[in-house]
Structure formats: C-alpha cells, structure tokens
Amino acid sequence: MNSDLSHLHPYPFEKLAELKKGVLANSEFNHIALSIGEPKHSPPTFVLKELARSVNKIARYPLTQGTTELRQSIADWLVRRFKLPINSLNIEQNILPVNGTREALFAFAQAMVERSDRALICMPNPFYQIYEGAALLSGAEAYYYNTTAETGYLPDFTSIDDNTWRRCQIIYICTPGNPTGTVISKPQMQWLINKAEEFDFIVASDECYSEIYFDESCPPCGLLEAAADMGNSDYKRCIVFHSLSKRSNLPGLRSGFVAGDAKIIQAFLKYRTYHGCAMPEHHQHASICAWNDEQHVLENRSLYQQKFSHALEVLSPHIDVKRPDGGFYLWARTPVDSAEFAKKLFAAKNITVLPGQYLSRTAHGIDPGEKHIRMALVTSPEETLEAAMRIKDFLQTL
Ligand SMILES: Cc1ncc(COP(=O)(O)O)c(C=O)c1O
C-alpha cells in the first residue's frame, strides 16, 4: 500500500465529531450547523431545468476536455469577470472543465510535481485541507505560510526565503481565503508571479469564493487578471481554479474549471485523460447556463451581504471578528481555547462551529488557527441571525 496515505491527517470534521462525542446539546434549541462550508441557498431553477432537459446525454461517454460550448462559456465569463484581453484565452489550450475544484486541486499536484526528495508545495496556514493531502500524496513536502491577525490574515510572501522558493514547485493561494476571508491584492499576486518566473514554479490560485464579496464596487482580483495586467497575457506559470458550487449554489453538480498557462493545462489534460474524470454532458449543459448568467449570482451575493451585516451587528461588540473581504465564513478570535469554546457552545446553545486549529498546523513556531473559530454563514437569514443571538448570549457567560 502507498505509505504516503499514512501521512494524511484526520479530516477536520472527524476531529469535530470526536470533540462532540458524549456532549449533550441543550435540547431547548434546534441544532444550527455553522461548521460545514456547504452552500444552502437555492440553486437557480433555470439551471435545474436545463439539467433535467439534457439528461438524455447520459447515454454517451463525455470527453475529458468537455464540450467546445462549455469551454467557450467559461472563457467568455473569465474575460467579462476579470477584464482579460479578448482572445487571450484559447478554448482548446487554456481551459479545462473539472468535476469541482476539490478533485482538481488534488489531481493538479499529482500531475505536476516532479518527484524528488526536495519537492515542495507551499500553502496557506490555516488552509483548505486538500492542498496538504495533494502535496503529501504527490510525494512533495508541505510548506505552510502563516496568515495571522498580525498581517491582517494575509500571507507575507516576502518572509519565504530563497531556499524555499528554489524547492517550491507549486504554491497554492486561496483568495478569498478559506477560512480567513481575505483577498490577495493584485500587487501581491504580481510579486508572486515574478517570483514564480525567477524560481520556476507554478502559482495555483483557488478562487472558488471569488463571486461572494461585500463591496459591489470592488470584486476580488483574480490571478489571470493580475498576470494580464503585468503583460503576462499568455498566463505563464499561472493557473486558476473556479467552481459553480458557491457562485451558483450547485455543490452537487460538481462543476468547475481550471484555466491559465496553455503548457500546464495541456499537461493536466493528458493526466486527466488517463485519470478518467470527465464531467457528465448534462452537467456541462447545466453549467453553460450557470456561467452565462450573472443575475442569480448577484442575488446570491446580496443574500450573503444581508446575512453578514446582521450577524456582525450582533456579534462584533462581543467577539473579535470583522467582515471578511469575501467568502462566506466569519473567522473570529475566541477568548478561550477554540476547541473548548466549540464544545461549550454546542452544549449550551446547540450550535456547531469549527475550531480554527482543526484547519491549521504549527509552523514557524505558531499555530495560526489557535483561539479562532470558523463560522460558515450558509443557512437562511433567519437561522443565521438566531445563531448570532445565541452566540452573543453564550459569550456573555464566558
Ligand atoms: C477553499 C476551497 N477550495 C475548494 C473547495 C471545493 O469546492 P468544489 O469542489 O465544490 O468546487 C472548497 C469547498 O469547500 C473550498 O473551501
């Protein structure tokens, strides 16, 4: 058996189940889960209709590369959303549909890492757990760059030394970040792209939360946008990961894409042809409808904006928490150990939150997830407000 499997950490939700084991929740309240980052707003009906209408396509094997129509709608969306130079994306070369970003983020490392005992993959800390699993199973070492309160939960790429950059083959960035919600700025991305050129590595930008933000006048910058803006309009060394899961409330559709550097995308396509993970054709049809429409995304975002305003109004006087730049998580500092906080909150108020240290590792002498909790504001506005009120009451008992 592959011995690297034994290096995988238990998933955060396993740790959470262990933490809650034997704890009796206050049955005066219904349970509210703020722990899982699964979108709960309604999926767009026109997408569901298209999915049903095209279900007969299930009688055919889909192509790994996806249909031309899907890749075209993705290219058009990228150009519109990130103001990319028209025709800078060739739909044969630069775009590949994937079955959600989770599998793609994982598979990407398997396809790209040049196996050697010096191989290194950099990732944020705290982080979406797939980056680490991807690194470990590709035979690379994981290097964690911390995102702490001291830097406004942003990475400080300048703190990474040249020896690390020399070994780095891929750096995962996550913007807006899970769990911190911070957005990496265009100058920061451009600094990183220059480093990638200098030290020959790939910048892999997980942008699956890019469409959930709070300032309509300032959507999060994307890596391709940053690249094009500095004259790198063939997106050399840059790859982005996007998804319909959060943007369009379609987590079960398993629909996303990777885009960027043609050489990298073509190598990834070769890998995926063997991997055998093509998106079912009726999912591709439904995805085209979703990428072609912005109205439902605007409505979705406005629901999050409303929920964050209400929750923060209740919570921010009582706990150290701010409105994130994007995404649907609140990343709050707890006055006590966060696992203890989560356990007591569950017992007292029947609310589940995720302790921050379940998403982080100790690196460079600190654990940036300590004394933090992640709250996913995915449920209805009413339930979100109810959860915030209960947490406020709980905080007053600490
Ligand atoms: C940061 C991040 N990236 C990727 C994903 C995977 O999303 P999907 O596979 O649904 O596109 C998630 C899901 O929660 C996530 O939080």
Side-chain angles (χ1 to χ4, degrees):
M1 195 182 286
N2 184 345
S3 59
D4 287 339
L5 282 168
S6 65
H7 299 135
L8 295 177
H9 291 251
Y11 215 65
F13 299 107
E14 282 176 51
K15 296 184 194 168
L16 187 60
E18 194 56 37
L19 179 77
K20 288 167 66 182
K21 213 180 200 170
V23 183
L24 268 189
N26 187 342
S27 58
E28 192 187 315
F29 301 107
N30 65 318
H31 180 240
I32 302 181
L34 302 181
S35 43
I36 304 179
E38 180 181 63
K40 296 243 185 289
H41 301 170
S42 308
T45 43
F46 64 92
V47 176
L48 302 187
K49 274 191 190 146
E50 180 57 24
L51 186 66
R53 198 192 62 80
S54 51
V55 75
N56 60 343
K57 301 278 190 285
I58 209 156
R60 288 211 298 246
Y61 273 122
L63 295 177
T64 307
Q65 201 182 7
T67 61
T68 312
E69 292 75 17
L70 175 58
R71 280 177 280 121
Q72 188 63 57
S73 72
I74 290 170
D76 293 345
W77 180 78
L78 278 169
V79 167
R80 274 198 312 274
R81 166 64 175 84
F82 295 107
K83 303 179 188 66
L84 305 180
I86 294 173
N87 301 331
S88 65
L89 291 168
N90 177 324
I91 62 163
E92 298 302 326
Q93 303 278 321
N94 302 104
I95 290 163
L96 195 54
V98 295
N99 296 312
T101 45
R102 180 182 179 135
E103 65 92 356
L105 287 160
F106 179 83
F108 188 70
Q110 316 315 307
M112 292 299 138
V113 166
E114 169 93 84
R115 285 173 180 270
S116 80
D117 54 8
R118 291 182 51 75
L120 196 76
I121 295 186
C122 298
M123 64 197 68
N125 187 31
F127 58 97
Y128 179 53
Q129 302 293 290
I130 301 306
Y131 314 142
E132 183 189 62
L136 297 176
L137 280 177
S138 71
E141 191 185 319
Y143 175 95
Y144 309 97
Y145 58 85
N146 292 337
T147 60
T148 61
E150 285 62 45
T151 53
Y153 298 114
L154 276 166
D156 175 12
F157 297 125
T158 62
S159 69
I160 301 177
D161 65 25
D162 283 359
N163 274 336
T164 307
W165 289 129
R166 229 166 261 127
R167 290 180 56 199
C168 175
Q169 296 196 21
I170 299 172
I171 181 167
Y172 284 113
I173 59 175
C174 184
T175 177
N178 170 6
T180 60
T182 47
V183 163
I184 299 176
S185 68
K186 190 186 278 183
Q188 258 195 309
M189 288 183 179
Q190 292 177 334
W191 187 93
L192 203 54
I193 295 169
N194 282 329
K195 273 284 165 207
E197 182 64 26
E198 188 182 346
F199 288 97
D200 188 20
F201 60 85
I202 299 169
V203 185
S205 185
D206 179 353
E207 301 180 0
C208 75
Y209 292 98
S210 71
E211 303 317 290
I212 301 172
Y213 51 88
F214 302 93
D215 179 355
E216 284 295 331
S217 68
C218 190
C221 178
L223 185 71
L224 300 188
E225 181 181 355
D229 188 68
M230 66 197 280
N232 179 4
S233 53
D234 52 5
Y235 310 115
K236 210 164 152 217
R237 300 175 199 288
C238 296
I239 293 289
V240 294
F241 296 75
H242 281 273
S243 170
L244 290 175
S245 301
K246 332 284 181 192
R247 175 188 185 272
S248 302
N249 300 311
L250 293 164
L253 192 67
R254 311 312 301 130
S255 179
F257 67 83
V258 295
D261 186 323
K263 202 166 123 201
I264 298 171
I265 292 288
Q266 292 316 297
F268 195 31
L269 171 60
K270 187 173 184 183
Y271 171 91
R272 295 179 71 78
T273 316
Y274 276 82
H275 188 191
C277 47
M279 191 191 302
E281 241 187 82
H282 56 304
H283 290 215
Q284 296 190 46
H285 275 260
S287 303
I288 293 170
C289 293
W291 288 117
N292 285 350
D293 182 77
E294 261 342 285
Q295 186 55 34
H296 76 282
V297 187
L298 197 71
E299 286 162 17
N300 187 34
R301 196 159 51 235
S302 109
L303 201 51
Y304 283 115
Q305 287 163 354
Q306 180 196 329
K307 292 198 294 184
F308 273 74
S309 292
H310 292 161
L312 283 167
E313 211 175 292
V314 175
L315 288 175
S316 54
H318 304 280
I319 191 167
D320 187 358
V321 67
K322 283 204 200 67
R323 196 185 72 165
D325 299 329
F328 53 46
Y329 302 106
L330 284 178
W331 183 238
R333 253 211 258 216
T334 53
V336 295
D337 170 75
S338 56
E340 209 44 44
F341 183 97
K343 199 164 156 175
K344 287 187 171 153
L345 175 65
F346 177 65
K349 301 288 177 187
N350 208 356
I351 290 177
T352 308
V353 296
L354 192 64
Q357 72 263 35
Y358 293 0
L359 296 167
S360 60
R361 306 282 176 256
T362 297
H364 318 290
I366 59 160
D367 181 342
E370 255 181 11
K371 284 201 161 185
H372 282 80
I373 48 160
R374 190 190 77 173
M375 296 177 271
L377 300 196
V378 288
T379 182
S380 67
E382 297 71 32
E383 214 173 45
T384 303
L385 187 59
E386 163 72 21
M389 304 288 272
R390 283 193 220 162
I391 295 171
K392 180 192 96 176
D393 291 347
F394 169 73
L395 283 163
Q396 285 165 344
T397 67
L398 286 181

